[in-house]
Amino acid sequence: MEIAPSLYLGDWIPRTDLEGPGQRAALFPAGCSLRCSGCCNPHLFTKKTQQLISVSEILQRVKSVSDIEGISILGGEPLEQAHALGEFLSSLRQETDLSVMLYTGYTMAEIKREEDKASVLEFVDVLVDGRYQEALKSSRRRYIGSDNQKLWLLTDRYMAKDFGGSNFTEFRLNKREFRILGYPIP
Ligand code: SF4
């Protein structure tokens, strides 16, 4: 019997407009071996057993959110779970028309050298690649944290979209938590 793939998911936000075009669900897979100095999400460096969730459950969560145009996948480092991520995105593509934006610390050249990571790209519309480099941090390009990173349009879905402008930060406060989304201003 084949075991259904599961993903270590550290966090998710059903709806935000800070992590890509339009309103999107944001997923934060856990685990990252790259450990960039100054990373915004060091609490996601290590996977925890209780974070393991089946791909089908994550899919149901995303599908339960109304009026979003896509999902953004941040991290942690999503491509360090390339197999489960690919399974998830394949199902997402079959069952929805949601767009996919992926943020990774690996460069495009590094991704293309590894078959499992490269195979995920067929499901991605927009990719932001490269390590976060604190010395090059910047908020002047939308969705980009440091000047070495690049934004790639891998399909024609957002070819007409203007990705210009600067970054934003959002603060969310409710009874249980205080959360910072987007790009903390240097
Ligand atoms: S790749 Fe991303 S999640 Fe990993 S350390 Fe760098 S900035 Fe943080």
Side-chain angles (χ1 to χ4, degrees):
M1 188 176 77
E2 194 175 333
I3 298 171
S6 297
L7 190 89
Y8 288 88
L9 186 67
D11 196 5
W12 82 295
I13 299 165
R15 183 191 300 277
T16 174
D17 62 1
L18 286 192
E19 311 290 8
Q23 294 285 333
R24 317 180 71 77
L27 305 178
F28 298 81
C32 180
S33 66
L34 299 177
R35 310 286 166 105
C36 309
S37 175
C39 170
C40 290
N41 291 325
H43 60 291
L44 295 175
F45 282 172
T46 307
K47 298 178 188 131
K48 300 187 176 96
T49 309
Q50 65 269 27
Q51 294 169 328
L52 196 58
I53 304 175
S54 72
V55 159
S56 58
E57 184 181 333
I58 299 171
L59 188 62
Q60 291 315 312
R61 286 189 194 182
V62 168
K63 286 169 67 178
S64 74
V65 184
S66 58
D67 298 330
I68 52 174
E69 72 174 66
I71 66 165
S72 291
I73 304 167
L74 304 100
E77 175 44 61
L79 291 181
E80 290 184 358
Q81 300 187 71
H83 174 69
L85 183 63
E87 295 281 334
F88 167 66
L89 292 178
S90 173
S91 300
L92 186 86
R93 177 149 290 180
Q94 285 169 34
E95 297 184 29
T96 77
D97 64 353
L98 295 173
S99 64
V100 174
M101 184 162 178
L102 175 69
Y103 295 76
T104 174
Y106 291 97
T107 63
M108 182 64 96
E110 289 172 323
I111 294 167
K112 286 186 170 171
R113 282 200 292 269
E114 289 190 50
E115 199 178 329
D116 62 333
K117 290 183 174 64
S119 67
V120 173
L121 296 186
E122 73 173 285
F123 306 114
V124 176
D125 298 294
V126 184
L127 180 83
V128 174
D129 78 334
R131 315 287 190 275
Y132 172 67
Q133 292 188 24
E134 202 167 18
L136 299 177
K137 70 183 172 188
S138 168
S139 60
R140 75 191 161 78
R141 286 188 298 154
R142 195 102 203 255
Y143 311 124
I144 302 285
S146 61
D147 281 337
N148 59 298
Q149 296 171 326
K150 292 193 190 119
L151 186 145
W152 303 77
L153 299 180
L154 303 183
T155 67
D156 59 8
R157 186 151 178 168
Y158 288 109
M159 287 293 176
K161 167 90 182 153
D162 178 8
F163 282 88
S166 55
N167 274 325
F168 294 91
T169 307
E170 180 182 316
F171 301 95
R172 290 188 183 186
L173 179 64
N174 63 30
K175 285 180 183 162
R176 287 187 307 162
E177 63 179 3
F178 173 65
R179 179 178 247 168
I180 301 174
L181 294 174
Y183 304 80
I185 304 300

